Amino acid sequence: VHGCQVFMPHEGRGLLLQRQQCVPVGCCNRQRRVVNLDDIIVPTHNGLPQAAASLTRCPAIDAAIAALTPTTVTDFMNLKICVAQLDFVVGDMPGNAKKIVDAAQAAYADGALLMLTPELSICGYAAEDLFLREVFIEACDDAVKSVAEALAGLKGMTVVVGHPTGGGVRTRSVSSQKRFNAASVLREGQILHTYAKRELPNYQVFDERRYFVPGTDTCVFEVGSGPDHLRVGLLICEDAWYEEPARLARQAGAQVLAVINASPFHVGKGGEREQVMRERVRACELPMVYAHLVGGQDEMVFEGHSFALDADGSVAARALSFREQQFMVTATRAGDQVHLAGGIAPERGADADLWDALVLGVRDYIGKNGFPGAILGLSGGIDSALVLAIAVDALGPDRIRTVMMPSPYTA
């Protein structure tokens, strides 16, 4: 009911209307809509106020109320989703867990009720043969539990954490693995669901079938309550490049897809991802929040560039590239359709992406390995000058030392 007043055409206006029927200001939500019809106050014959729901209503008023659309009275939704586009360190489970907790607390203070972290965020991507060590998987499991415990006081807050779980099965006659690339749904100190990635890439830099077995289940979890209630279908990276996982999530009741990712950068990869995900959301007719890793790990770089798409494939929000960011997306509802909105970072050129990828790769390689700085030998040519420029952008001039190494060909 709009306007915080209810009146029929024959009723008065101005002061006369104020004496007839109104709604106390505190009973309207931020959109000036009545939350509870019992809050409509009308005067009785003796002048004392009485709830409208306890009176015998006029048939015309009842008809008008019945004609109101659900989004007007009960279905308004304004749910904030935070994408924690962060840079994690492989093997630093305590440090990564603390980073997730700090991000979740900040997101909760900003009004978010759902936070997504990237694929394998608890251990960093990619840990390679560390996945084969039982003690490593146990440390990851412990870190996930510690995150859940640390966030127990954030009432109503849901956090999705990527991590490995499971282990190998060995007997005298057989050896098999039951290790999964997984994501757990945490809320108020509990691990509500654990979803295992269904589609395991095994090409280019990916070698996931060496370490993991595919999952078979579908995960749809609920976020919020009342008008802000939302059913979220969870996918992990490669799952979203295939039709079946998204289709199964929709069949299970998902209203929006949440995809957590760690997909290495190459020039043009951000545009490729958006295009493939546009095809996916159009096919399943669901909006999508795509949460991506940022940072460098050895020869791989992850550029961030998280985004959100509406069900028609249009870009609803886009995060910065090559930067950590607490990226906020707002979910609203119009009838049965969920819409997403947020800030949209501008599209970038290939040269800018390539430069930032080189700078981020150098910065994280030096920083994550604990090196104090770098020493460069300069020939005086353009090649070494370019390397020096990248190093200074990555580390700052105070952490770079140069040595001139002239030759007969030095300019």
Side-chain angles (χ1 to χ4, degrees):
V1 179
H2 291 277
C4 290
Q5 292 179 326
V6 181
F7 57 88
M8 300 302 293
H10 67 273
E11 295 178 329
R13 300 293 191 270
L15 294 175
L16 177 59
L17 174 61
Q18 293 178 15
R19 291 193 296 268
Q20 286 176 344
Q21 55 189 23
C22 61
V23 182
V25 172
C27 297
C28 295
N29 64 17
R30 282 180 285 185
Q31 286 67 40
R32 294 179 60 80
R33 296 172 180 168
V34 178
V35 177
N36 188 342
L37 292 178
D38 288 345
D39 291 330
I40 300 175
I41 306 299
V42 300
T44 63
H45 66 278
N46 60 5
L48 297 176
Q50 184 173 348
S54 64
L55 300 176
T56 301
R57 289 182 177 140
C58 167
I61 293 178
D62 287 339
I65 292 173
L68 293 173
T69 62
T71 55
T72 304
V73 177
T74 61
D75 257 3
F76 180 79
M77 181 175 69
N78 186 24
L79 180 70
K80 281 189 174 183
I81 301 170
C82 175
V83 174
Q85 181 177 289
L86 301 175
D87 189 349
F88 297 97
V89 178
V90 168
D92 183 13
M93 278 71 81
N96 295 338
K98 183 180 185 305
K99 201 164 195 175
I100 293 170
V101 170
D102 291 344
Q105 292 172 339
Y108 186 74
D110 201 27
L113 288 181
L114 171 62
M115 189 181 85
L116 306 175
T117 69
E119 180 180 9
L120 295 173
S121 56
I122 205 72
C123 63
Y125 193 99
E128 300 183 352
D129 281 6
L130 289 174
F131 290 130
L132 302 177
R133 299 187 180 186
E134 184 177 345
V135 66
F136 183 83
I137 300 299
E138 291 174 352
C140 291
D141 290 337
D142 290 342
V144 173
K145 293 175 184 176
S146 73
V147 172
E149 293 169 359
L151 300 179
L154 304 186
K155 300 302 180 184
M157 178 69 166
T158 302
V159 177
V160 176
V161 176
H163 63 98
T165 192
V169 176
R170 293 180 179 272
T171 67
R172 292 162 68 179
S173 59
V174 67
S175 175
S176 64
Q177 58 182 8
K178 292 291 184 181
R179 193 180 303 104
F180 301 98
N181 182 341
S184 287
V185 180
L186 316 181
R187 185 184 304 143
E188 298 180 11
Q190 302 296 316
I191 300 175
L192 302 183
H193 308 278
T194 296
Y195 169 74
K197 187 176 182 179
R198 299 170 63 98
E199 305 291 343
L200 301 178
N202 218 63
Y203 53 86
Q204 296 176 358
V205 299
F206 301 106
D207 197 16
E208 292 196 18
R209 294 178 193 172
R210 171 178 170 83
Y211 308 114
F212 304 117
V213 294
T216 57
D217 295 332
T218 299
C219 180
V220 176
F221 61 93
E222 298 181 349
V223 178
S225 60
D228 288 342
H229 178 265
L230 185 65
R231 294 189 299 276
V232 181
L234 180 59
L235 305 178
I236 301 177
C237 201
E238 192 82 357
D239 291 341
W241 292 71
Y242 292 83
E243 293 182 3
E244 186 178 42
R247 177 176 56 80
L248 293 175
R250 179 180 175 85
Q251 290 176 357
Q255 297 169 301
V256 64
L257 298 176
V259 187
I260 66 170
N261 307 268
S263 178
F265 166 82
H266 64 246
V267 174
K269 186 63 176 290
E272 292 175 19
R273 289 195 205 98
E274 285 192 11
Q275 182 55 41
V276 172
M277 294 307 112
R278 284 191 190 99
E279 297 171 3
R280 187 64 54 243
V281 299
R282 288 168 182 159
C284 67
E285 299 180 319
L286 291 177
M288 173 190 292
V289 181
Y290 188 100
H292 193 218
L293 178 66
V294 68
Q297 174 59 32
D298 292 336
E299 77 279 11
M300 293 187 294
V301 175
F302 305 88
E303 86 272 27
H305 191 101
S306 302
F307 56 86
L309 302 175
D310 264 336
D312 63 359
S314 60
V315 176
R318 184 188 294 124
L320 299 172
S321 296
F322 303 99
R323 301 288 186 277
E324 289 190 303
Q325 185 181 1
Q326 294 276 92
F327 176 54
M328 302 298 291
V329 178
T330 300
T332 59
R333 192 188 342 258
D336 294 331
Q337 183 64 57
V338 174
H339 294 285
L340 304 175
I344 301 179
E347 295 186 8
R348 295 161 49 94
D351 289 346
D353 277 352
L354 184 56
W355 182 265
D356 283 348
L358 292 169
V359 168
L360 180 58
V362 170
R363 179 185 298 132
D364 272 5
Y365 182 81
I366 296 292
K368 291 179 179 180
N369 283 288
F371 300 141
I375 299 174
L376 299 180
L378 301 181
S379 68
I382 191 171
D383 292 350
S384 60
L386 177 61
V387 171
L388 176 60
I390 292 170
V392 169
D393 273 9
L395 306 175
D398 293 340
R399 297 177 65 191
I400 303 295
R401 293 292 181 268
T402 61
V403 178
M404 282 300 298
M405 302 177 66
S407 76
Y409 308 104
T410 299

